Amino acid sequence: MHIKRRNFLINSSLATAGTLMVPQFLQAMYKQKMPMGTAGNKVLIVIQLSGGNDGLNTVIPIRNDVYYQKRPGLGITKDKATILTDEAGLNPALTAFKTLYDNGELAILNDVGYPNPDRSHFRSMDIWHTASASNEIWNTGWLGRYLDAQCANCSQPTQILELDDVLSLAMKGETNKGIAFQDPSLLFKSSNAPFFKDLTKAHTHHDEPVADYLYKTLADTVQSADMIFKASKMGTAATNYPATGLGKSLKTIGALIAGGMNTSVYYVSLGSFDTHVNQAAQQNRLLTELNGAVEAFVKDMKQQGRFDDVLMMSFSEFGRRVGQNASAGTDHGTANNMFFVGGSLKQKGLLNTMPTLLDLENGDLKYRVDFRNVLATVLENWLGTPSKSILKGSFAPMQFV
């Protein structure tokens, strides 16, 4: 069967739907028959809170009068907050996070951001994804460059997966990329459709590199989909998960971990937290979804005996303004808090003091922790890889893991 290059480029949905895999890595993993994931192999799960989650109504400064003055209708009162310390409370939707806190399985870092913050969703998310300075434009992500570093010779194959239908910039490297999918069964079914098998069989070396690259990507994706599908079927989640988007994604991750998938990084998203209007209801709904999914996943990992090997990290592209707006919401801000959940935290609870609301910059929080120091911490202390070349600069790791 003859298939024209133009038709292939137009119809190659596997290549354009974010389902790009790492050819060198997958070939190496397949040929070397690397041992599958076992206890002791560290796993990072990144939870992206898309849209700019309001950190001040997530980790609440319950003794700060300025907070209540600036948010007369939106501030969460002490009697409604879930109390952590004399200074801090959690959003009442985050009941499971209180349990994690009490068990020493939760760390909270306040005022995370970067110099000269950008309040655009797209630009700020790009900065977080690429780990660039705010005045630099990069086209590769920090996790993609991590994959490049680990797979330079594929001596230590490492895989990164995103539970979504589009691959994030964070997962794209110079030479390697992660794979994005929502359902292992659908990925397997799509990649094994007759159309794509016919394309693979019909391919001969082409004069145009783009066509050759897409054909190779297709062949590698078919092989990868088979591996992911088999791992998902071998593993069964050890607990019930809520039937929410995030619940389903973390259930899939739990099954892949149980099935022995040799994956170091999983990436998931929840949103939108862009709460300009009637914030309370929307944030409560999303934080309830986060709470239920994380609670089920932690239970699953404990039952699998893998909780000490897992680190969950949440982030949002920016926080919200200190003062509420006229629409019972909040507008785009700057610095924000991050959650870290795991069984092997070296430092637990509140890692730094609550935000000061008296020393603001144009009504916004001033960052105290550069997010790239957090990424350096995760890369070096958890994933065990030097961070300087990946982050394109020296950022001192912290000590919470």
Side-chain angles (χ1 to χ4, degrees):
M1 181 180 65
H2 176 68
I3 300 176
K4 293 183 179 180
R5 170 182 172 274
R6 182 175 181 274
N7 291 337
F8 173 63
L9 292 175
I10 292 173
N11 293 300
S12 57
S13 60
L14 281 174
T16 59
T19 52
L20 297 178
M21 201 44 155
V22 185
Q24 300 96 322
F25 155 66
L26 287 168
Q27 294 295 336
M29 181 173 170
Y30 180 77
K31 293 177 182 177
Q32 297 173 24
K33 299 189 181 299
M34 294 294 295
M36 300 300 277
T38 56
N41 291 346
K42 300 299 185 185
V43 177
L44 172 67
I45 297 162
V46 180
I47 302 179
Q48 174 180 301
L49 305 180
S50 305
N53 178 45
D54 181 17
L56 287 175
N57 273 24
T58 301
V59 183
I60 306 156
I62 55 175
R63 288 187 62 184
N64 196 314
D65 292 339
V66 177
Y67 166 75
Y68 293 107
Q69 292 168 6
K70 295 284 189 179
R71 298 183 172 207
L74 196 59
I76 298 175
T77 57
K78 182 177 179 179
D79 62 302
K80 293 182 180 179
T82 301
I83 305 302
L84 298 180
T85 70
D86 290 343
E87 302 288 336
L90 282 177
N91 187 289
L94 297 175
T95 54
F97 282 72
K98 173 63 162 71
T99 302
L100 293 169
Y101 180 90
D102 291 341
N103 292 341
E105 299 163 345
L106 172 68
I108 301 170
L109 190 60
N110 292 301
D111 290 338
V112 185
Y114 54 88
N116 303 311
D118 194 300
R119 291 168 182 80
S120 160
H121 289 294
F122 303 105
R123 179 65 193 128
S124 190
M125 190 64 83
D126 280 355
I127 291 167
W128 273 86
H129 280 182
T130 63
S132 72
S134 60
N135 62 346
E136 297 176 316
I137 305 293
W138 295 352
N139 59 9
T140 61
W142 70 281
L143 288 171
R145 295 194 300 273
Y146 158 72
L147 190 59
D148 284 342
Q150 292 298 297
C151 283
N153 299 305
C154 282
S155 59
Q156 297 180 356
T158 305
Q159 189 176 357
I160 58 177
L161 300 176
E162 181 167 7
L163 276 293
D164 205 336
D165 55 359
V166 176
L167 192 69
S168 298
L169 176 57
M171 307 282 278
K172 299 177 181 179
E174 289 284 355
T175 58
N176 298 313
K177 292 178 175 66
I179 184 171
F181 66 95
Q182 290 184 318
D183 185 314
S185 299
L186 292 177
L187 176 66
F188 177 77
K189 182 178 179 180
S190 297
S191 65
N192 281 275
F195 173 74
F196 295 113
K197 287 193 172 183
D198 290 343
L199 280 175
T200 304
K201 291 178 182 178
H203 174 57
T204 57
H205 178 70
H206 210 284
D207 291 336
E208 298 189 43
V210 172
D212 279 334
Y213 172 77
L214 289 174
Y215 274 109
K216 183 164 177 48
T217 296
L218 174 61
D220 292 328
T221 301
V222 170
Q223 186 182 83
S224 340
D226 182 64
M227 295 166 56
I228 293 169
F229 177 70
K230 287 179 179 177
S232 71
K233 290 304 179 184
M234 288 175 59
T236 302
T239 188
N240 292 323
Y241 282 78
T244 60
L246 186 61
K248 292 175 183 176
S249 292
L250 291 186
K251 182 178 181 179
T252 297
I253 293 172
L256 291 174
I257 291 173
M261 198 70 192
N262 186 22
T263 302
S264 292
V265 181
Y266 295 95
Y267 200 99
V268 295
S269 299
L270 173 66
S272 168
F273 285 88
D274 196 17
T275 51
H276 292 280
V277 180
N278 297 325
Q279 173 177 300
Q282 183 174 346
Q283 189 186 36
N284 179 75
R285 175 180 59 80
L286 291 169
L287 291 183
T288 298
E289 181 173 348
L290 174 68
N291 185 77
V294 169
E295 181 179 33
F297 183 78
V298 168
K299 182 179 179 181
D300 190 358
M301 291 301 98
K302 288 182 176 179
Q303 291 180 354
Q304 288 190 37
R306 295 299 306 275
F307 190 49
D308 287 352
D309 303 327
V310 169
L311 176 67
M312 306 184 80
M313 176 183 84
S314 72
F315 82 95
S316 200
E317 69 264 36
F318 45 62
R320 315 297 291 190
R321 306 214 77 186
V322 173
Q324 69 181 62
N325 61 27
S327 302
T330 52
D331 298 322
H332 299 178
T334 53
N336 209 346
N337 44 49
M338 299 180 70
F339 286 147
F340 305 91
V341 174
S344 299
L345 295 174
K346 293 181 179 178
Q347 295 175 349
K348 305 155 189 177
L350 291 169
L351 300 180
N352 56 358
T353 59
M354 295 293 288
T356 176
L357 304 184
L358 291 175
D359 183 20
L360 303 177
E361 186 170 345
N362 297 322
D364 289 320
L365 298 175
K366 293 181 178 179
Y367 87 98
R368 289 184 289 154
V369 180
D370 193 308
F371 80 99
R372 289 164 294 188
N373 291 98
V374 179
L375 301 189
T377 304
V378 171
L379 287 167
E380 298 201 9
N381 297 354
W382 190 254
L383 296 176
T385 188
S387 65
K388 186 174 181 179
S389 61
I390 295 171
L391 300 179
K392 304 184 182 182
S394 296
F395 299 93
M398 305 169 75
Q399 300 303 316
F400 60 87
V401 292

